[in-house]
Amino acid sequence: MSEIKVASRYAKSLIDLAKEQNALEQVKGDMQLFVDTVKASTELQAVLKNPIIPIGKKNSILVAIFGDKVHATTKAFLKIVIDKARAEVLFGTAKEFLNQYNQYKNIVTAKVTSAIALSDTAKADIIAKVKEVTGGEVRLNATIDESLIGGFVLTVGDKQFDASISSKLNQLKKDFAQRVVA
């Protein structure tokens, strides 16, 4: 079974368990902490992926790192996954947990890339439009890419709206090239 499917199933199981134990928000916080910690540590990434490192050693490393910082449900879950020799899917499982949590809570992440920094009013307008379309709570991640020349690119899920000047110039370039060839 692919790592993505396994991670997705583990994440769903953890969400169900956390809801059952009224600990969904705590476990969500734990999964965010886990993702942030693993992203920041290439050593921890290597430990989780390395099949040569004994299961007991992996468990003790995670207890040392997360110990009293995480909910008992999270600790038990991490131990079970490692005991099943599936430590390499923990990072993917934590990310998938956060995705499934956002779906459950109807939270949408929108990414806007613009040529210059957006004003608070522009950000509020984008959030309002995305909320109008999706009906969910919107989290906006704004980045700057000066190569866009002007305008912006908005990505929500697998949909993208490109209102950048560089994109329009590229389209004009393609149109001219097709007319010259034809």
Side-chain angles (χ1 to χ4, degrees):
M1 189 178 315
S2 77
E3 190 174 311
I4 295 168
K5 276 187 178 179
V6 172
S8 180
R9 288 181 181 178
Y10 279 163
K12 175 152 179 26
S13 296
L14 183 57
I15 282 181
D16 291 344
L17 180 62
K19 285 192 292 190
E20 197 175 283
Q21 296 183 352
N22 293 322
L24 184 60
E25 295 305 317
Q26 295 100 323
V27 174
K28 186 259 183 193
D30 296 345
M31 289 296 108
Q32 187 64 59
L33 173 66
F34 184 83
V35 167
D36 294 343
T37 304
V38 174
K39 272 185 187 176
S41 172
T42 55
E43 294 88 3
L44 184 55
Q45 292 171 27
V47 165
L48 292 173
K49 289 180 183 176
N50 192 335
I52 296 171
I53 297 174
I55 289 171
K57 183 74 172 168
K58 288 181 183 183
N59 273 323
S60 63
I61 289 170
L62 289 184
V63 167
I65 293 171
F66 298 107
D68 297 333
K69 297 177 188 171
V70 297
H71 191 271
T73 302
T74 305
K75 272 194 256 190
F77 176 78
L78 293 174
K79 182 173 178 2
I80 288 169
V81 173
I82 290 174
D83 288 347
K84 290 186 175 282
R86 291 294 208 156
E88 73 279 359
V89 301
L90 277 174
F91 183 67
T93 299
K95 290 194 312 186
E96 184 58 28
F97 178 96
L98 295 172
N99 289 337
Q100 290 181 22
Y101 172 88
N102 286 343
Q103 288 175 352
Y104 175 73
K105 292 288 191 170
N106 199 18
I107 299 170
V108 178
T109 300
K111 181 182 176 199
V112 65
T113 305
S114 57
I116 59 170
L118 295 174
S119 67
D120 290 339
T121 305
K123 288 179 185 177
D125 289 345
I126 290 170
I127 290 171
K129 290 291 182 192
V130 172
K131 187 173 187 170
E132 182 181 312
V133 172
T134 63
E137 179 187 332
V138 179
R139 293 190 181 148
L140 186 67
N141 295 330
T143 57
I144 298 171
D145 181 358
E146 293 175 0
S147 70
L148 295 178
I149 303 171
F152 64 92
V153 177
L154 177 64
T155 306
V156 180
D158 61 351
K159 293 178 177 62
Q160 186 174 44
F161 176 71
D162 191 342
S164 65
I165 292 176
S166 65
S167 172
K168 290 183 169 113
L169 288 173
N170 285 335
Q171 186 59 46
L172 276 173
K173 186 176 174 182
K174 285 180 188 175
D175 290 346
F176 283 136
Q178 286 178 349
R179 288 186 185 151
V180 170
V181 172

